[in-house]
Amino acid sequence: MAHITSKPKQRGALRQQPFDSSAEKPQFPGASAEFIDHLEFIQPNVISGIPVYRVMDRQGQIINPSEDPKLSKEMVLNFYQKMTLLNTMDRILYESQRQGRISFYMTNYGEEGTHIGSAAALEPTDLVFGQYREAGVLMYRGFPLDLFMAQCYANADDLGKGRQMPVHYGCKDLNFVTISSPLATQLPQAAGAAYAVKRENSNRVVVCYFGEGAASEGDAHAGFNFSATLECPLIFFCRNNGYAISTPTNEQYRGDGIAARGPGYGLMSIRVDGNDVFAVYNATKEARRRAVAENQPFLIEAMTYRIGHHSTSDDSSAYRSVDEVNYWDKQDHPISRLRHYMTARDWWGEDEEKAWRKQSRKLVMEAFERAERRLKPNPELLFTDVYDEMIPPIAKQRDAMWRHIQQYKEHYPLDLYEK
Amino acid sequence: MNDYLFKRVLTCVFIADTHCMNVSAGPTQKMNLFQSVTSALDNTLAGDPTAVIFGEDVAFGGVFRCTVGLRDKYGKDRVFNTPLCEQGIVGFGIGAAAAGATAIAEIQFADYIYPAFDQIVNEAAKYRYRSGNMFDCGKLTIRAPWGCVGHGSIYHSQCPEAFFTHCPGIKIVVPRGPVQAKGLLLSCIADQNPCIFFEPKILYRAAVEQVPTEAYQIPLSQAEVLQEGSDLTLVAWGTQVHVLKEVAAMAQEKLGVSCELIDLRTILPWDTETVCKSVVKTGRLLISHEAPVTGGFAAEISSTVQEECFLNLEAPISRVCGYDTPFPHIFEPFYIPDKWKCFEAVKRMINY
C-alpha cells in the first residue's frame, strides 16, 4: 500500500467545534488542538523528511512483491515504448533547434517515468493541466508525432494555429489543456476545473503538473488552499527534478520539499520515486480513486532528476557537474530501470531493442520531414480568436496589415505561409 | 416620473432612467444598484445549472449585499466563499469556466484586483487565442466594486479600468445605474469572452430605479447617447455620467450651450463609431473619469478621435480627470473631477 502521509484527524473534525467555555480545551475557532504548558518550537524535519515510496530498486527489481502492480506485458511494453519514443523525439527536436529549424525546444530527459506512470493511471477523460515538461503524458494518450512536430514547427497543421513557442502543446480531444509559459498559473485553474467537474458528477479527476520551482509561486499556494477548502477532486503532481533552470532546490526552498507543504494545507500527500514508473503509477492510481470517491485533493511529489538542460537556451554545465548528470543518466534512469524489469521477465531483449530503436527513429524522422516541408498557417490567423468573434477594431487592423503587405510584399516571407 | 435622490456622499444628483430604453417589457420592481446585481445573479443561477458565484464573503451576502439570499436559495455548492486570495479567485474562475461552468467571481474591491492581474492578462485574455480556439474561459465574469465613495481613500476608491484596456481578449463594462447594471451584467455573463464588470459602489444604495425582474440583456460595445446636442460632446462611464448630466444642464442654462451626452458603457472593446459620429457633429469633445489623467482611458478616446475627426475639431479635446496622485482621503473633494471643473472645461472649449 502506498505510504500516504495521513492527516492528523478526519476532515470533519477540522470544522469548527461547538463553542463550550466550560471545557479546558482551547476554544479558538482557528485551530483544533490541545494546550501545552512548556515552550517548544516545532523543528522543521529536513534531515529525514517524508520517505520516498518506490516499488523497484535502481536495478529494476521489485522490492516488495505486494506493491508490484503486475501490469500486463502489453501495458509494460507500451510504457517502455512510449518513454523511448519520447526520448527519441526529444533528441531529434533538440538537434533541429541547434540546426535552426525550430526556434526553441525543451527535452524531458530523465523524467519520462513521471509522465508515463501518471498518465497510465488516469482515465482518458481526466482533464490535464501541465507546465511544459509533460510531453510524455500527451504521448501516452496518443497525441501523434505529426502534431507534436506541427506545434514545434508552428506549421499549418498546428492545433494551436502557430501562436505559441514550441512545446506549448494542447489537445482538446485528449483533455490536455494548452500549456502557457507563466509558471504555476495552472494550479488555481486546475482547482476551479476540478470544482466544475465535481458538480457534473462525471467521475473525472483533474491532474495538475508543475515543477518544484513553480511551487514557489503564489499561485501554487492559491491552488493548494482553494483545492482543499473547496474539496476538489484534483491531483497535484509535482516533478521535483532538482533544478529550476540553474537554481538548485536548496535555493528554492528550506523545508522538506513540496510534499511536506501538503499537510499544511490539509492535503493528502505522498513523496514517490519519480524514476520508478510503477511507484508513480501506484500512487497516481490510488490518489485518483480516492480523489474521485472522496472529493478531496491529493499531492504527489515525484522525485526525479532533470538530465537535460532547462531548454535549448540553457547550458547546464555552467552550474552543475558532468559527473552529477552522468550518475542519473547511467545509474538511475526510468527507462533502464523498466528495461531491467522487462528483461528479467524475458519480455524484452537485445533484438527487440535494436528493432524498436530503428523503428522509433524512423517514425520520428518521417514525422520530422513532413513537418519540415509543411507551410506555416495563413497570416489571417494572427487576428482571429482574440475574442469568440471578430470585432471591428481588429478587423480594421487586419485589413490595414494586408494592404501594407500588398504594397511591401517583397519584404515579407509570404511564400512560407498558406494563402 | 423622475426619482431624485440626494446623498451626502454623492456630489452629483442621480437621475433614474425613466424609459428603460426599451430594455424589457415585463414587470418591474424598485431596486437599487446592489439589488439589481442580485437580481441579475438570481436570474442566472435560476436559468443556468452550471452557474456558480464565489469570492470573499459572498456566502453571507457580500460586503455590499450583492449576493444576499442566493446561497439559501441555490445551495452552498453554487454560492460559496473562497480563501482570501484574489489570484486564486480569478485563477479558480478561469479553470471552472474552461471546464464548462458559468463562473462569476467577485473581487471585494477593484483596488484589490492587482494580485489577479497575471491571471487576467496572461491567462484569461489569451486562453482562446493561444490554444487555437480549443480552450477558452469565455464563461468567466469578474465583478468588482469600483470608484470613489466619499471616504474610500487610496484603497477603496480606485478605478483600474485603464490597466486592463491595454489587454486584447477581455471585455470591460461599467454601468451607470440599476437598469443598466442588470442588463449589462447579464450580457457579460452570456458573452463568450472573459469580462470584467465594475460596479460604481457609491451608487449601490444611492441609485434606485424601476428594474425589470426578468432577465434581459443590454448589448456590449454599444455606447448610449443619453441626450442629443449640437455644440459639444460629453463622454463618461459609471458615476461620472451623472456628473456630466448636471454639467450639460448647467451649460445649457448658463452658457446656452447644447451638449450631447454619451455613456460609453463598454470600455473595451469601445464604441468608436458613436463617439466619432457625435464629434463630427459637435466639433468638441470632453471626456471625464475619476481615474488619474495620465494613461487613463480618456487618452485612448482622445487619440482615436483626433485621428478620425481631426478636421472636425473646433477645440482641443479636453480631459477632466483625477490628478496624477494616489486617491487621497481627506482631500477627496478637491481631487474628484466634479461638475465645476467639467463646467469650466466646457467654458474654455466653447471660447477657444
Side-chain angles (χ1 to χ4, degrees), chain A residues 169-184:
Chain A
Y169 309 115
C171 184
K172 180 144 187 82
D173 292 343
L174 297 178
N175 298 301
F176 190 95
V177 181
T178 302
I179 300 300
S180 71
S181 308
L183 297 181

Side-chain angles (χ1 to χ4, degrees), chain B residues 27-344:
Chain B
T28 65
Q29 195 179 299
K30 189 157 124 173
M31 295 184 209
N32 61 28
L33 186 72
F34 74 72
Q35 289 165 336
S36 74
V37 169
T38 314
S39 178
L41 298 176
D42 195 338
N43 292 151
T44 301
L45 293 168
D48 178 351
T50 73
V52 288
I53 300 171
F54 50 91
E56 294 152 26
D57 302 297
V58 303
F60 89 104
V63 293
F64 288 109
R65 315 192 62 188
C66 293
T67 51
V68 167
L70 298 178
R71 183 176 170 93
D72 286 342
K73 193 168 172 185
Y74 295 102
K76 59 186 177 62
D77 62 318
R78 300 187 71 189
V79 181
F80 51 92
N81 291 338
T82 63
L84 207 166
C85 177
E86 288 76 12
Q87 68 196 98
I89 290 167
V90 173
F92 178 94
I94 291 170
T102 295
I104 302 163
E106 177 173 308
I107 298 293
Q108 198 154 87
F109 283 86
D111 312 56
Y112 307 138
I113 202 166
Y114 310 112
F117 198 82
D118 188 43
Q119 287 283 355
I120 293 169
V121 168
N122 265 336
E123 296 289 314
K126 299 171 170 57
Y127 228 77
R128 188 188 294 277
Y129 187 82
R130 74 189 188 198
S131 69
N133 200 27
M134 285 193 285
F135 298 95
D136 70 82
C137 58
K139 290 178 174 336
L140 173 65
T141 302
I142 302 166
R143 298 175 35 246
W146 169 102
C148 78
V149 69
H151 54 276
S153 185
I154 302 178
Y155 299 113
H156 298 81
S157 310
Q158 290 178 41
C159 296
E161 66 274 12
F163 292 108
F164 298 99
T165 55
H166 192 56
C167 181
I170 54 173
K171 295 194 176 182
I172 305 167
V173 178
V174 187
R176 68 173 181 274
V179 169
Q180 291 290 310
K182 177 167 169 172
L184 290 169
L185 178 54
L186 286 171
S187 289
C188 286
I189 292 168
D191 193 280
Q192 288 308 302
N193 300 287
C195 297
I196 306 178
F197 187 76
F198 287 122
E199 301 166 358
K201 66 177 84 68
I202 201 175
L203 298 181
Y204 271 145
R205 301 177 83 93
V208 181
E209 288 172 339
Q210 288 292 124
V211 181
T213 52
E214 282 156 25
Y216 62 94
Q217 292 184 20
I218 292 176
L220 301 184
S221 293
Q222 276 188 30
E224 188 179 353
V225 178
L226 296 186
Q227 186 182 304
E228 285 185 19
S230 52
D231 301 329
L232 193 147
T233 301
L234 300 168
V235 173
W237 48 93
T239 318
Q240 202 65 9
V241 171
H242 303 289
V243 174
L244 292 188
K245 251 192 230 179
E246 280 192 61
V247 173
M250 285 160 74
Q252 182 66 66
E253 186 198 319
K254 299 183 203 283
L255 309 171
V257 166
S258 153
C259 293
E260 181 145 293
L261 175 59
I262 298 178
D263 177 3
L264 198 62
R265 304 199 294 191
T266 298
I267 318 307
L268 183 77
W270 68 285
D271 181 359
T272 55
E273 202 182 308
T274 298
V275 175
C276 289
K277 186 168 154 203
S278 175
V279 178
V280 164
K281 182 172 72 169
T282 64
R284 295 177 189 85
L285 174 62
L286 186 154
I287 313 151
S288 186
H289 57 64
E290 288 169 23
V293 64
T294 297
F297 199 64
E300 173 62 34
I301 296 173
S302 178
S303 186
T304 298
V305 168
Q306 67 87 29
E307 276 171 359
E308 302 292 316
C309 313
F310 185 71
L311 294 176
N312 302 99
L313 289 171
E314 296 290 336
I317 296 170
S318 182
R319 297 179 292 162
V320 185
C321 304
Y323 300 123
D324 289 332
T325 71
F327 199 104
H329 179 218
I330 209 65
F331 310 113
E332 179 166 332
F334 300 95
Y335 175 91
I336 53 171
D338 61 27
K339 62 190 178 191
W340 304 111
K341 293 181 187 172
C342 296
F343 176 69
E344 187 54 33

Side-chain angles (χ1 to χ4, degrees), chain A residues 400-412:
Chain A
M401 187 206 77
W402 282 121
R403 282 195 302 274
H404 172 81
I405 302 293
Q406 260 304 107
Q407 201 185 338
Y408 288 86
K409 57 166 91 73
E410 67 272 18
H411 300 292
Y412 293 88

Side-chain angles (χ1 to χ4, degrees), chain A residues 86 95 141 196 208 210 221-222 244 256 267 336 351 375 387 402:
Chain A
L86 175 62
E95 252 323 289
R141 284 193 165 182
C208 183
F210 55 102
H221 161 71
D256 178 23
L267 298 174
S336 29
D351 292 339
L375 288 175
Y387 294 93
W402 282 121

